[in-house]
Amino acid sequence: MPTHRANSRPDRSRTLEVRGLRFHVRCWPGTAAPLKLFLHGWLDLSATWQPVIDALPRDWNIAAPDQRGFGLSQAQGDTYWFYDYLGDLDGLLDQLSPDVPVDLIGHSMGSQVAALYAGVRPERIRRLVAMDGFYLPVQPPDRAPKQLRRWLGDLKQEPVDHSYASLDELAARIAKRQPGLDEHGARFVAECWSRKGEDGRYRLLGDWRHRQHGALLYRDEEAKAIFREVKAPTLLLDGEKSHLANLGTGEFREQRLACFGNARQVTIPGAGHMLHFDAPAAAAEAIADFLDAD
């Protein structure tokens, strides 16, 4: 697998069936309880957590699924509905840690999934880490007709074949979009994100339908009501230079963060939105300090 670098901690792959789909789960077994479960963001996958895992305590028991239709997990062949990610997580935990609360770490989209789940299943989460999430702008209800029209239009679109002649070509494209990565980091991400086809070209892993517009608006008031139900101590870990901070005024985000009654905020200097790309060691240090705190 492309996730192994020099001196990296080896992983194991498991395949679990949840809700009729096959899920690929990457595991780094350890003796220390509880389980640490990492959730990747949109268009990402579990393999890119490796640099963070390498900087965490070696005895931690860690798992990271590819969420439905991402990475090596099965695609569903139609629109992706956000709350399905929570249903998947519930089913995964039934198999990975049915009786013991876990530490849940999510990035971007994964942080939304993690925080919402921690609100509706508080008894299953010991501690929560949300990395650079909660930036989605508030969407007024009068945008709903336009949103639905775009969704209906996307349903009729044919898949676009995004392919690359070489890993170097893909790595160069990634480096351009992720300035926090050096040459080796961009190559590593390119290896994680793609597979070589029979025609010799490299294609991104994951279902192309994730790029379609969804049918529903972000339901801010519903989300905040769920965030207020989170009981676990929470680390809100952000990147100083995250481009998502420009999506709108900070007021709506601060209102969301205020919903977490037992939260600590930490910002990693110089890091962008992809904290695990730009500053894996610093992210790992903040996560370890928080999860191991008394």
Side-chain angles (χ1 to χ4, degrees), residues 27-273:
C27 301
W28 295 265
T31 58
L35 175 70
K36 276 68 174 168
L37 190 74
F38 284 72
L39 298 178
H40 65 78
W42 185 65
L43 299 184
D44 203 0
L45 39 68
S46 62
T48 59
W49 284 115
Q50 185 71 51
V52 173
I53 305 304
D54 289 342
L56 291 171
R58 301 280 292 190
D59 63 343
W60 277 14
N61 186 26
I62 298 171
D66 291 338
Q67 302 199 61
R68 62 168 56 202
F70 289 107
L72 301 178
S73 288
Q74 186 178 351
Q76 65 186 51
D78 205 337
T79 298
Y80 288 85
W81 304 92
F82 196 84
Y83 285 141
D84 273 331
Y85 300 122
L86 274 72
D88 297 341
L89 176 56
D90 202 46
L92 286 167
L93 288 179
D94 286 344
Q95 299 184 55
L96 293 170
S97 186
D99 302 316
V100 179
V102 303
D103 290 333
L104 188 57
I105 303 97
H107 170 252
S108 192
M109 183 193 84
S111 71
Q112 285 280 328
V113 176
L116 291 169
Y117 186 80
V120 297
R121 289 278 196 255
E123 72 280 3
R124 303 198 74 168
I125 307 303
R126 188 188 76 104
R127 295 201 172 202
L128 171 67
V129 179
M131 299 172 62
D132 217 58
F134 312 106
Y135 283 106
L136 289 173
V138 174
Q139 297 174 308
D142 60 11
R143 289 193 56 181
K146 179 180 179 181
Q147 189 80 7
L148 280 168
R149 280 192 290 269
R150 294 174 74 180
W151 173 65
L152 290 174
D154 279 2
L155 290 179
K156 299 178 181 179
Q157 297 296 317
E158 294 295 325
V160 177
D161 183 22
H162 293 286
S163 66
Y164 303 87
S166 66
L167 279 174
D168 289 339
E169 179 186 350
L170 176 56
R173 186 177 181 87
I174 290 170
K176 186 176 181 179
R177 293 191 173 187
Q178 304 293 336
L181 287 173
D182 60 18
E183 180 181 351
H184 297 291
R187 174 81 180 198
F188 167 73
V189 173
E191 292 175 349
C192 291
W193 279 4
S194 68
R195 287 293 183 273
K196 188 176 183 179
E198 294 182 358
D199 59 358
R201 296 186 66 84
Y202 289 81
R203 288 172 175 81
L204 297 178
L205 293 170
D207 189 351
W208 64 274
R209 293 176 183 87
H210 283 296
R211 297 179 182 274
Q212 293 179 330
H213 293 94
L216 302 177
L217 303 175
Y218 183 79
R219 298 181 176 182
D220 188 57
E221 292 303 321
E222 291 181 17
K224 288 189 290 188
I226 297 172
F227 296 156
R228 295 187 189 101
E229 296 293 313
V230 174
K231 301 297 188 293
T234 301
L235 174 63
L236 303 168
L237 185 61
D238 295 322
E240 179 190 26
K241 296 183 178 180
S242 175
H243 67 277
L244 295 188
N246 297 321
L247 285 179
T249 64
E251 181 180 356
F252 63 80
R253 185 171 188 269
E254 291 304 316
Q255 291 174 357
R256 293 169 190 166
L257 299 187
C259 296
F260 297 90
N262 185 8
R264 176 194 308 173
Q265 289 185 253
V266 174
T267 299
I268 297 181
H273 173 62

